[in-house]
Amino acid sequence: IGVVPQETMLFSGTIKENLRWGNENATDEEIIEACKAADADSFISSFPDGYETELGQGGVNVSGGQKQRICIARALLKKPKILILDDSTSAVDTATERRIRGALKNLAPDTTKIIIAQRISSVKDADVIFVLDDGKLSGFGNHEQLLESNKIYREVFESQQQGSGDADLEGGE
């Protein structure tokens, strides 16, 4: 099981050392592949020391979204049968999140993914979506079914559609 919480945990050491917490035997190629899937390779490669960049305790020298993407890559290196993403893309923009979702689908097609999120765009392609309201199950189904049958889901979708624009929720730019 791989878990990526919203509140990330990075350690003192290099980016590569942090990634190897997911798999201490990961090759450089596997690390780069996981980072590409997590949309982290480009920003890591832009650092003067790349994957050998030293991180301060807690990753103080990278942004929240960068921390989340490093942690997603670390979880992917585990090659888990089950991947739990607990609002783990909350600090990235919707375009980055869309790239990560697409890569996860391609890189780990046989991995069961449990995604906990507040953004409809994070879950709209899921096989089954569970809607919670005040800690209680309000409904479940796929995106289309919930738009038809669940008032809470529909209201959240409509408010996010107005707040982000149609393109963000429908997969366009």
PDB file of all heavy atoms in Angstrom, residues 31-45 51 65-73 76 89 92-104 107:
ATOM      1  N   ILE A  31      13.333   6.044 -10.838  1.00  0.00           N
ATOM      2  CA  ILE A  31      13.094   7.309 -10.136  1.00  0.00           C
ATOM      3  C   ILE A  31      12.616   8.373 -11.116  1.00  0.00           C
ATOM      4  O   ILE A  31      11.624   9.064 -10.867  1.00  0.00           O
ATOM      5  CB  ILE A  31      14.365   7.763  -9.385  1.00  0.00           C
ATOM      6  CG1 ILE A  31      14.609   6.848  -8.181  1.00  0.00           C
ATOM      7  CG2 ILE A  31      14.276   9.229  -8.970  1.00  0.00           C
ATOM      8  CD1 ILE A  31      15.928   7.057  -7.488  1.00  0.00           C
ATOM      9  N   ILE A  32      13.280   8.486 -12.239  1.00  0.00           N
ATOM     10  CA  ILE A  32      12.890   9.489 -13.239  1.00  0.00           C
ATOM     11  C   ILE A  32      11.501   9.178 -13.788  1.00  0.00           C
ATOM     12  O   ILE A  32      10.674  10.079 -13.941  1.00  0.00           O
ATOM     13  CB  ILE A  32      13.948   9.579 -14.362  1.00  0.00           C
ATOM     14  CG1 ILE A  32      15.234  10.196 -13.792  1.00  0.00           C
ATOM     15  CG2 ILE A  32      13.433  10.376 -15.553  1.00  0.00           C
ATOM     16  CD1 ILE A  32      16.441  10.107 -14.700  1.00  0.00           C
ATOM     17  N   GLU A  33      11.201   7.912 -14.048  1.00  0.00           N
ATOM     18  CA  GLU A  33       9.879   7.525 -14.549  1.00  0.00           C
ATOM     19  C   GLU A  33       8.784   7.901 -13.548  1.00  0.00           C
ATOM     20  O   GLU A  33       7.751   8.463 -13.918  1.00  0.00           O
ATOM     21  CB  GLU A  33       9.830   6.020 -14.832  1.00  0.00           C
ATOM     22  CG  GLU A  33       8.483   5.554 -15.350  1.00  0.00           C
ATOM     23  CD  GLU A  33       8.408   4.046 -15.546  1.00  0.00           C
ATOM     24  OE1 GLU A  33       9.026   3.293 -14.762  1.00  0.00           O
ATOM     25  OE2 GLU A  33       7.700   3.632 -16.482  1.00  0.00           O
ATOM     26  N   ALA A  34       9.002   7.605 -12.266  1.00  0.00           N
ATOM     27  CA  ALA A  34       8.020   7.950 -11.230  1.00  0.00           C
ATOM     28  C   ALA A  34       7.866   9.461 -11.120  1.00  0.00           C
ATOM     29  O   ALA A  34       6.749   9.974 -10.961  1.00  0.00           O
ATOM     30  CB  ALA A  34       8.430   7.356  -9.883  1.00  0.00           C
ATOM     31  N   CYS A  35       8.971  10.195 -11.220  1.00  0.00           N
ATOM     32  CA  CYS A  35       8.906  11.660 -11.125  1.00  0.00           C
ATOM     33  C   CYS A  35       8.216  12.257 -12.335  1.00  0.00           C
ATOM     34  O   CYS A  35       7.490  13.256 -12.208  1.00  0.00           O
ATOM     35  CB  CYS A  35      10.299  12.246 -10.938  1.00  0.00           C
ATOM     36  SG  CYS A  35      10.920  11.968  -9.266  1.00  0.00           S
ATOM     37  N   LYS A  36       8.407  11.682 -13.502  1.00  0.00           N
ATOM     38  CA  LYS A  36       7.682  12.153 -14.687  1.00  0.00           C
ATOM     39  C   LYS A  36       6.184  11.931 -14.499  1.00  0.00           C
ATOM     40  O   LYS A  36       5.374  12.802 -14.810  1.00  0.00           O
ATOM     41  CB  LYS A  36       8.181  11.460 -15.950  1.00  0.00           C
ATOM     42  CG  LYS A  36       9.518  12.004 -16.418  1.00  0.00           C
ATOM     43  CD  LYS A  36       9.988  11.336 -17.697  1.00  0.00           C
ATOM     44  CE  LYS A  36      11.305  11.963 -18.151  1.00  0.00           C
ATOM     45  NZ  LYS A  36      11.832  11.321 -19.359  1.00  0.00           N
ATOM     46  N   ALA A  37       5.808  10.769 -13.971  1.00  0.00           N
ATOM     47  CA  ALA A  37       4.393  10.470 -13.731  1.00  0.00           C
ATOM     48  C   ALA A  37       3.784  11.437 -12.724  1.00  0.00           C
ATOM     49  O   ALA A  37       2.627  11.826 -12.845  1.00  0.00           O
ATOM     50  CB  ALA A  37       4.226   9.031 -13.246  1.00  0.00           C
ATOM     51  N   ALA A  38       4.572  11.839 -11.733  1.00  0.00           N
ATOM     52  CA  ALA A  38       4.098  12.765 -10.699  1.00  0.00           C
ATOM     53  C   ALA A  38       4.291  14.225 -11.110  1.00  0.00           C
ATOM     54  O   ALA A  38       4.090  15.129 -10.305  1.00  0.00           O
ATOM     55  CB  ALA A  38       4.809  12.486  -9.382  1.00  0.00           C
ATOM     56  N   ASP A  39       4.698  14.453 -12.351  1.00  0.00           N
ATOM     57  CA  ASP A  39       4.928  15.793 -12.888  1.00  0.00           C
ATOM     58  C   ASP A  39       5.966  16.548 -12.051  1.00  0.00           C
ATOM     59  O   ASP A  39       5.849  17.743 -11.810  1.00  0.00           O
ATOM     60  CB  ASP A  39       3.612  16.579 -12.973  1.00  0.00           C
ATOM     61  CG  ASP A  39       3.676  17.689 -14.013  1.00  0.00           C
ATOM     62  OD1 ASP A  39       4.217  17.452 -15.103  1.00  0.00           O
ATOM     63  OD2 ASP A  39       3.215  18.803 -13.717  1.00  0.00           O
ATOM     64  N   ALA A  40       6.997  15.801 -11.603  1.00  0.00           N
ATOM     65  CA  ALA A  40       8.039  16.394 -10.758  1.00  0.00           C
ATOM     66  C   ALA A  40       9.386  16.482 -11.461  1.00  0.00           C
ATOM     67  O   ALA A  40      10.242  17.263 -11.053  1.00  0.00           O
ATOM     68  CB  ALA A  40       8.184  15.579  -9.472  1.00  0.00           C
ATOM     69  N   ASP A  41       9.606  15.695 -12.496  1.00  0.00           N
ATOM     70  CA  ASP A  41      10.920  15.639 -13.133  1.00  0.00           C
ATOM     71  C   ASP A  41      11.374  16.997 -13.663  1.00  0.00           C
ATOM     72  O   ASP A  41      12.528  17.372 -13.484  1.00  0.00           O
ATOM     73  CB  ASP A  41      10.924  14.606 -14.265  1.00  0.00           C
ATOM     74  CG  ASP A  41      12.261  14.528 -14.967  1.00  0.00           C
ATOM     75  OD1 ASP A  41      13.244  14.110 -14.311  1.00  0.00           O
ATOM     76  OD2 ASP A  41      12.332  14.902 -16.152  1.00  0.00           O
ATOM     77  N   SER A  42      10.465  17.755 -14.267  1.00  0.00           N
ATOM     78  CA  SER A  42      10.881  19.028 -14.879  1.00  0.00           C
ATOM     79  C   SER A  42      11.368  20.028 -13.833  1.00  0.00           C
ATOM     80  O   SER A  42      12.389  20.681 -14.038  1.00  0.00           O
ATOM     81  CB  SER A  42       9.759  19.626 -15.726  1.00  0.00           C
ATOM     82  OG  SER A  42       8.621  19.846 -14.933  1.00  0.00           O
ATOM     83  N   PHE A  43      10.674  20.146 -12.703  1.00  0.00           N
ATOM     84  CA  PHE A  43      11.153  21.115 -11.712  1.00  0.00           C
ATOM     85  C   PHE A  43      12.403  20.595 -10.999  1.00  0.00           C
ATOM     86  O   PHE A  43      13.301  21.368 -10.673  1.00  0.00           O
ATOM     87  CB  PHE A  43      10.060  21.571 -10.740  1.00  0.00           C
ATOM     88  CG  PHE A  43       9.742  20.631  -9.606  1.00  0.00           C
ATOM     89  CD1 PHE A  43      10.548  20.554  -8.480  1.00  0.00           C
ATOM     90  CD2 PHE A  43       8.604  19.848  -9.661  1.00  0.00           C
ATOM     91  CE1 PHE A  43      10.244  19.702  -7.439  1.00  0.00           C
ATOM     92  CE2 PHE A  43       8.288  18.984  -8.619  1.00  0.00           C
ATOM     93  CZ  PHE A  43       9.113  18.913  -7.507  1.00  0.00           C
ATOM     94  N   ILE A  44      12.488  19.287 -10.768  1.00  0.00           N
ATOM     95  CA  ILE A  44      13.683  18.736 -10.128  1.00  0.00           C
ATOM     96  C   ILE A  44      14.889  18.947 -11.035  1.00  0.00           C
ATOM     97  O   ILE A  44      15.957  19.370 -10.584  1.00  0.00           O
ATOM     98  CB  ILE A  44      13.503  17.237  -9.795  1.00  0.00           C
ATOM     99  CG1 ILE A  44      12.443  17.057  -8.709  1.00  0.00           C
ATOM    100  CG2 ILE A  44      14.835  16.614  -9.355  1.00  0.00           C
ATOM    101  CD1 ILE A  44      12.022  15.616  -8.472  1.00  0.00           C
ATOM    102  N   SER A  45      14.716  18.680 -12.315  1.00  0.00           N
ATOM    103  CA  SER A  45      15.811  18.833 -13.281  1.00  0.00           C
ATOM    104  C   SER A  45      16.248  20.281 -13.434  1.00  0.00           C
ATOM    105  O   SER A  45      17.373  20.550 -13.854  1.00  0.00           O
ATOM    106  CB  SER A  45      15.393  18.263 -14.636  1.00  0.00           C
ATOM    107  OG  SER A  45      15.154  16.879 -14.522  1.00  0.00           O
ATOM    108  N   TYR A  51      18.489  15.923  -9.022  1.00  0.00           N
ATOM    109  CA  TYR A  51      18.036  14.949  -8.028  1.00  0.00           C
ATOM    110  C   TYR A  51      18.948  14.897  -6.801  1.00  0.00           C
ATOM    111  O   TYR A  51      18.581  14.337  -5.775  1.00  0.00           O
ATOM    112  CB  TYR A  51      17.914  13.552  -8.655  1.00  0.00           C
ATOM    113  CG  TYR A  51      16.686  13.423  -9.530  1.00  0.00           C
ATOM    114  CD1 TYR A  51      16.687  13.865 -10.855  1.00  0.00           C
ATOM    115  CD2 TYR A  51      15.513  12.881  -9.038  1.00  0.00           C
ATOM    116  CE1 TYR A  51      15.557  13.766 -11.651  1.00  0.00           C
ATOM    117  CE2 TYR A  51      14.374  12.773  -9.821  1.00  0.00           C
ATOM    118  CZ  TYR A  51      14.406  13.215 -11.128  1.00  0.00           C
ATOM    119  OH  TYR A  51      13.279  13.118 -11.911  1.00  0.00           O
ATOM    120  N   GLY A  65       3.213  22.342  -3.601  1.00  0.00           N
ATOM    121  CA  GLY A  65       2.898  21.485  -4.737  1.00  0.00           C
ATOM    122  C   GLY A  65       4.074  20.612  -5.137  1.00  0.00           C
ATOM    123  O   GLY A  65       3.901  19.451  -5.515  1.00  0.00           O
ATOM    124  N   GLN A  66       5.290  21.147  -5.039  1.00  0.00           N
ATOM    125  CA  GLN A  66       6.478  20.357  -5.345  1.00  0.00           C
ATOM    126  C   GLN A  66       6.654  19.238  -4.331  1.00  0.00           C
ATOM    127  O   GLN A  66       6.988  18.101  -4.679  1.00  0.00           O
ATOM    128  CB  GLN A  66       7.713  21.258  -5.403  1.00  0.00           C
ATOM    129  CG  GLN A  66       7.709  22.181  -6.604  1.00  0.00           C
ATOM    130  CD  GLN A  66       8.807  23.226  -6.551  1.00  0.00           C
ATOM    131  OE1 GLN A  66       9.268  23.633  -5.476  1.00  0.00           O
ATOM    132  NE2 GLN A  66       9.212  23.697  -7.724  1.00  0.00           N
ATOM    133  N   LYS A  67       6.409  19.537  -3.059  1.00  0.00           N
ATOM    134  CA  LYS A  67       6.480  18.496  -2.020  1.00  0.00           C
ATOM    135  C   LYS A  67       5.494  17.375  -2.332  1.00  0.00           C
ATOM    136  O   LYS A  67       5.834  16.196  -2.240  1.00  0.00           O
ATOM    137  CB  LYS A  67       6.146  19.082  -0.644  1.00  0.00           C
ATOM    138  CG  LYS A  67       7.180  19.992  -0.060  1.00  0.00           C
ATOM    139  CD  LYS A  67       6.683  20.501   1.282  1.00  0.00           C
ATOM    140  CE  LYS A  67       7.433  21.715   1.729  1.00  0.00           C
ATOM    141  NZ  LYS A  67       6.936  22.241   3.002  1.00  0.00           N
ATOM    142  N   GLN A  68       4.254  17.759  -2.679  1.00  0.00           N
ATOM    143  CA  GLN A  68       3.240  16.750  -2.955  1.00  0.00           C
ATOM    144  C   GLN A  68       3.654  15.868  -4.123  1.00  0.00           C
ATOM    145  O   GLN A  68       3.502  14.645  -4.080  1.00  0.00           O
ATOM    146  CB  GLN A  68       1.882  17.406  -3.244  1.00  0.00           C
ATOM    147  CG  GLN A  68       1.213  17.941  -1.994  1.00  0.00           C
ATOM    148  CD  GLN A  68      -0.153  18.536  -2.262  1.00  0.00           C
ATOM    149  OE1 GLN A  68      -0.420  19.077  -3.341  1.00  0.00           O
ATOM    150  NE2 GLN A  68      -1.024  18.459  -1.278  1.00  0.00           N
ATOM    151  N   ARG A  69       4.231  16.464  -5.158  1.00  0.00           N
ATOM    152  CA  ARG A  69       4.623  15.689  -6.336  1.00  0.00           C
ATOM    153  C   ARG A  69       5.798  14.755  -6.029  1.00  0.00           C
ATOM    154  O   ARG A  69       5.840  13.626  -6.517  1.00  0.00           O
ATOM    155  CB  ARG A  69       4.930  16.624  -7.507  1.00  0.00           C
ATOM    156  CG  ARG A  69       3.621  17.254  -8.017  1.00  0.00           C
ATOM    157  CD  ARG A  69       3.842  18.155  -9.183  1.00  0.00           C
ATOM    158  NE  ARG A  69       4.258  19.465  -8.698  1.00  0.00           N
ATOM    159  CZ  ARG A  69       4.740  20.423  -9.473  1.00  0.00           C
ATOM    160  NH1 ARG A  69       4.906  20.221 -10.768  1.00  0.00           N
ATOM    161  NH2 ARG A  69       5.068  21.587  -8.972  1.00  0.00           N
ATOM    162  N   ILE A  70       6.736  15.186  -5.185  1.00  0.00           N
ATOM    163  CA  ILE A  70       7.824  14.300  -4.766  1.00  0.00           C
ATOM    164  C   ILE A  70       7.250  13.120  -3.976  1.00  0.00           C
ATOM    165  O   ILE A  70       7.655  11.967  -4.175  1.00  0.00           O
ATOM    166  CB  ILE A  70       8.878  15.065  -3.926  1.00  0.00           C
ATOM    167  CG1 ILE A  70       9.643  16.065  -4.820  1.00  0.00           C
ATOM    168  CG2 ILE A  70       9.846  14.103  -3.236  1.00  0.00           C
ATOM    169  CD1 ILE A  70      10.521  17.056  -4.050  1.00  0.00           C
ATOM    170  N   CYS A  71       6.293  13.388  -3.118  1.00  0.00           N
ATOM    171  CA  CYS A  71       5.693  12.320  -2.312  1.00  0.00           C
ATOM    172  C   CYS A  71       4.868  11.355  -3.167  1.00  0.00           C
ATOM    173  O   CYS A  71       4.840  10.147  -2.892  1.00  0.00           O
ATOM    174  CB  CYS A  71       4.854  12.909  -1.181  1.00  0.00           C
ATOM    175  SG  CYS A  71       5.880  13.675   0.103  1.00  0.00           S
ATOM    176  N   ILE A  72       4.208  11.851  -4.203  1.00  0.00           N
ATOM    177  CA  ILE A  72       3.485  10.972  -5.122  1.00  0.00           C
ATOM    178  C   ILE A  72       4.485  10.065  -5.834  1.00  0.00           C
ATOM    179  O   ILE A  72       4.283   8.853  -5.939  1.00  0.00           O
ATOM    180  CB  ILE A  72       2.642  11.786  -6.126  1.00  0.00           C
ATOM    181  CG1 ILE A  72       1.467  12.463  -5.399  1.00  0.00           C
ATOM    182  CG2 ILE A  72       2.134  10.893  -7.267  1.00  0.00           C
ATOM    183  CD1 ILE A  72       0.733  13.497  -6.242  1.00  0.00           C
ATOM    184  N   ALA A  73       5.592  10.641  -6.314  1.00  0.00           N
ATOM    185  CA  ALA A  73       6.625   9.838  -6.982  1.00  0.00           C
ATOM    186  C   ALA A  73       7.180   8.784  -6.028  1.00  0.00           C
ATOM    187  O   ALA A  73       7.380   7.624  -6.415  1.00  0.00           O
ATOM    188  CB  ALA A  73       7.742  10.748  -7.504  1.00  0.00           C
ATOM    189  N   LEU A  76       4.800   5.967  -5.807  1.00  0.00           N
ATOM    190  CA  LEU A  76       4.800   5.173  -7.039  1.00  0.00           C
ATOM    191  C   LEU A  76       5.988   4.222  -7.106  1.00  0.00           C
ATOM    192  O   LEU A  76       5.885   3.127  -7.658  1.00  0.00           O
ATOM    193  CB  LEU A  76       4.793   6.085  -8.263  1.00  0.00           C
ATOM    194  CG  LEU A  76       3.498   6.851  -8.513  1.00  0.00           C
ATOM    195  CD1 LEU A  76       3.676   7.843  -9.644  1.00  0.00           C
ATOM    196  CD2 LEU A  76       2.357   5.884  -8.792  1.00  0.00           C
ATOM    197  N   THR A  89      -3.142  16.304  -4.175  1.00  0.00           N
ATOM    198  CA  THR A  89      -2.849  17.282  -5.234  1.00  0.00           C
ATOM    199  C   THR A  89      -3.511  18.622  -4.928  1.00  0.00           C
ATOM    200  O   THR A  89      -3.694  19.445  -5.821  1.00  0.00           O
ATOM    201  CB  THR A  89      -3.305  16.767  -6.622  1.00  0.00           C
ATOM    202  OG1 THR A  89      -4.695  16.458  -6.566  1.00  0.00           O
ATOM    203  CG2 THR A  89      -2.508  15.555  -7.060  1.00  0.00           C
ATOM    204  N   VAL A  92      -1.538  21.785  -6.075  1.00  0.00           N
ATOM    205  CA  VAL A  92      -1.146  21.977  -7.471  1.00  0.00           C
ATOM    206  C   VAL A  92      -2.334  22.512  -8.258  1.00  0.00           C
ATOM    207  O   VAL A  92      -3.486  22.342  -7.868  1.00  0.00           O
ATOM    208  CB  VAL A  92      -0.608  20.672  -8.121  1.00  0.00           C
ATOM    209  CG1 VAL A  92       0.595  20.144  -7.371  1.00  0.00           C
ATOM    210  CG2 VAL A  92      -1.683  19.610  -8.245  1.00  0.00           C
ATOM    211  N   ASP A  93      -2.043  23.157  -9.387  1.00  0.00           N
ATOM    212  CA  ASP A  93      -3.120  23.687 -10.224  1.00  0.00           C
ATOM    213  C   ASP A  93      -3.815  22.543 -10.962  1.00  0.00           C
ATOM    214  O   ASP A  93      -3.328  21.420 -11.003  1.00  0.00           O
ATOM    215  CB  ASP A  93      -2.573  24.736 -11.200  1.00  0.00           C
ATOM    216  CG  ASP A  93      -1.521  24.162 -12.124  1.00  0.00           C
ATOM    217  OD1 ASP A  93      -1.879  23.374 -13.020  1.00  0.00           O
ATOM    218  OD2 ASP A  93      -0.327  24.501 -11.941  1.00  0.00           O
ATOM    219  N   THR A  94      -4.960  22.834 -11.550  1.00  0.00           N
ATOM    220  CA  THR A  94      -5.752  21.785 -12.184  1.00  0.00           C
ATOM    221  C   THR A  94      -5.066  21.186 -13.407  1.00  0.00           C
ATOM    222  O   THR A  94      -5.244  20.007 -13.691  1.00  0.00           O
ATOM    223  CB  THR A  94      -7.160  22.290 -12.555  1.00  0.00           C
ATOM    224  OG1 THR A  94      -7.036  23.454 -13.372  1.00  0.00           O
ATOM    225  CG2 THR A  94      -7.973  22.598 -11.319  1.00  0.00           C
ATOM    226  N   ALA A  95      -4.284  21.953 -14.137  1.00  0.00           N
ATOM    227  CA  ALA A  95      -3.577  21.410 -15.303  1.00  0.00           C
ATOM    228  C   ALA A  95      -2.529  20.390 -14.855  1.00  0.00           C
ATOM    229  O   ALA A  95      -2.396  19.316 -15.455  1.00  0.00           O
ATOM    230  CB  ALA A  95      -2.927  22.534 -16.108  1.00  0.00           C
ATOM    231  N   THR A  96      -1.793  20.704 -13.791  1.00  0.00           N
ATOM    232  CA  THR A  96      -0.798  19.766 -13.250  1.00  0.00           C
ATOM    233  C   THR A  96      -1.498  18.517 -12.734  1.00  0.00           C
ATOM    234  O   THR A  96      -1.063  17.392 -12.997  1.00  0.00           O
ATOM    235  CB  THR A  96       0.024  20.433 -12.132  1.00  0.00           C
ATOM    236  OG1 THR A  96       0.685  21.576 -12.671  1.00  0.00           O
ATOM    237  CG2 THR A  96       1.039  19.478 -11.529  1.00  0.00           C
ATOM    238  N   GLU A  97      -2.581  18.710 -12.024  1.00  0.00           N
ATOM    239  CA  GLU A  97      -3.337  17.578 -11.491  1.00  0.00           C
ATOM    240  C   GLU A  97      -3.819  16.677 -12.624  1.00  0.00           C
ATOM    241  O   GLU A  97      -3.741  15.445 -12.534  1.00  0.00           O
ATOM    242  CB  GLU A  97      -4.531  18.072 -10.676  1.00  0.00           C
ATOM    243  CG  GLU A  97      -5.365  16.945 -10.130  1.00  0.00           C
ATOM    244  CD  GLU A  97      -6.683  17.398  -9.547  1.00  0.00           C
ATOM    245  OE1 GLU A  97      -7.220  18.435  -9.973  1.00  0.00           O
ATOM    246  OE2 GLU A  97      -7.176  16.672  -8.676  1.00  0.00           O
ATOM    247  N   ARG A  98      -4.279  17.261 -13.707  1.00  0.00           N
ATOM    248  CA  ARG A  98      -4.760  16.498 -14.857  1.00  0.00           C
ATOM    249  C   ARG A  98      -3.625  15.649 -15.454  1.00  0.00           C
ATOM    250  O   ARG A  98      -3.821  14.483 -15.788  1.00  0.00           O
ATOM    251  CB  ARG A  98      -5.350  17.444 -15.901  1.00  0.00           C
ATOM    252  CG  ARG A  98      -6.084  16.779 -17.015  1.00  0.00           C
ATOM    253  CD  ARG A  98      -6.860  17.711 -17.949  1.00  0.00           C
ATOM    254  NE  ARG A  98      -6.273  19.006 -18.189  1.00  0.00           N
ATOM    255  CZ  ARG A  98      -6.686  20.151 -17.619  1.00  0.00           C
ATOM    256  NH1 ARG A  98      -7.674  20.162 -16.754  1.00  0.00           N
ATOM    257  NH2 ARG A  98      -6.100  21.288 -17.924  1.00  0.00           N
ATOM    258  N   ARG A  99      -2.425  16.238 -15.556  1.00  0.00           N
ATOM    259  CA  ARG A  99      -1.277  15.481 -16.075  1.00  0.00           C
ATOM    260  C   ARG A  99      -0.935  14.317 -15.148  1.00  0.00           C
ATOM    261  O   ARG A  99      -0.641  13.205 -15.608  1.00  0.00           O
ATOM    262  CB  ARG A  99      -0.060  16.395 -16.249  1.00  0.00           C
ATOM    263  CG  ARG A  99      -0.186  17.353 -17.430  1.00  0.00           C
ATOM    264  CD  ARG A  99       1.125  18.049 -17.740  1.00  0.00           C
ATOM    265  NE  ARG A  99       1.637  18.867 -16.655  1.00  0.00           N
ATOM    266  CZ  ARG A  99       1.321  20.134 -16.444  1.00  0.00           C
ATOM    267  NH1 ARG A  99       0.473  20.758 -17.240  1.00  0.00           N
ATOM    268  NH2 ARG A  99       1.855  20.805 -15.434  1.00  0.00           N
ATOM    269  N   ILE A 100      -0.980  14.548 -13.842  1.00  0.00           N
ATOM    270  CA  ILE A 100      -0.682  13.489 -12.873  1.00  0.00           C
ATOM    271  C   ILE A 100      -1.719  12.373 -12.984  1.00  0.00           C
ATOM    272  O   ILE A 100      -1.369  11.184 -13.026  1.00  0.00           O
ATOM    273  CB  ILE A 100      -0.616  14.047 -11.430  1.00  0.00           C
ATOM    274  CG1 ILE A 100       0.575  14.995 -11.282  1.00  0.00           C
ATOM    275  CG2 ILE A 100      -0.544  12.913 -10.408  1.00  0.00           C
ATOM    276  CD1 ILE A 100       0.567  15.807  -9.994  1.00  0.00           C
ATOM    277  N   ARG A 101      -2.995  12.728 -13.051  1.00  0.00           N
ATOM    278  CA  ARG A 101      -4.057  11.717 -13.170  1.00  0.00           C
ATOM    279  C   ARG A 101      -3.864  10.862 -14.421  1.00  0.00           C
ATOM    280  O   ARG A 101      -3.990   9.637 -14.385  1.00  0.00           O
ATOM    281  CB  ARG A 101      -5.439  12.371 -13.210  1.00  0.00           C
ATOM    282  CG  ARG A 101      -6.003  12.740 -11.879  1.00  0.00           C
ATOM    283  CD  ARG A 101      -7.504  13.041 -11.929  1.00  0.00           C
ATOM    284  NE  ARG A 101      -8.003  13.607 -13.169  1.00  0.00           N
ATOM    285  CZ  ARG A 101      -8.101  14.905 -13.440  1.00  0.00           C
ATOM    286  NH1 ARG A 101      -7.723  15.796 -12.554  1.00  0.00           N
ATOM    287  NH2 ARG A 101      -8.580  15.312 -14.593  1.00  0.00           N
ATOM    288  N   GLY A 102      -3.551  11.507 -15.537  1.00  0.00           N
ATOM    289  CA  GLY A 102      -3.325  10.768 -16.780  1.00  0.00           C
ATOM    290  C   GLY A 102      -2.143   9.831 -16.673  1.00  0.00           C
ATOM    291  O   GLY A 102      -2.195   8.680 -17.120  1.00  0.00           O
ATOM    292  N   ALA A 103      -1.070  10.305 -16.072  1.00  0.00           N
ATOM    293  CA  ALA A 103       0.129   9.474 -15.920  1.00  0.00           C
ATOM    294  C   ALA A 103      -0.128   8.304 -14.977  1.00  0.00           C
ATOM    295  O   ALA A 103       0.346   7.191 -15.219  1.00  0.00           O
ATOM    296  CB  ALA A 103       1.299  10.322 -15.419  1.00  0.00           C
ATOM    297  N   LEU A 104      -0.889   8.533 -13.908  1.00  0.00           N
ATOM    298  CA  LEU A 104      -1.200   7.443 -12.974  1.00  0.00           C
ATOM    299  C   LEU A 104      -2.007   6.360 -13.672  1.00  0.00           C
ATOM    300  O   LEU A 104      -1.807   5.165 -13.430  1.00  0.00           O
ATOM    301  CB  LEU A 104      -1.989   7.966 -11.773  1.00  0.00           C
ATOM    302  CG  LEU A 104      -1.213   8.780 -10.746  1.00  0.00           C
ATOM    303  CD1 LEU A 104      -2.149   9.319  -9.674  1.00  0.00           C
ATOM    304  CD2 LEU A 104      -0.103   7.965 -10.125  1.00  0.00           C
ATOM    305  N   LEU A 107       0.730   4.635 -15.984  1.00  0.00           N
ATOM    306  CA  LEU A 107       1.860   4.000 -15.301  1.00  0.00           C
ATOM    307  C   LEU A 107       1.409   2.879 -14.378  1.00  0.00           C
ATOM    308  O   LEU A 107       2.092   1.878 -14.232  1.00  0.00           O
ATOM    309  CB  LEU A 107       2.657   5.035 -14.496  1.00  0.00           C
ATOM    310  CG  LEU A 107       3.883   4.511 -13.764  1.00  0.00           C
ATOM    311  CD1 LEU A 107       4.947   4.049 -14.762  1.00  0.00           C
ATOM    312  CD2 LEU A 107       4.464   5.573 -12.856  1.00  0.00           C
TER     313      LEU A 107
END
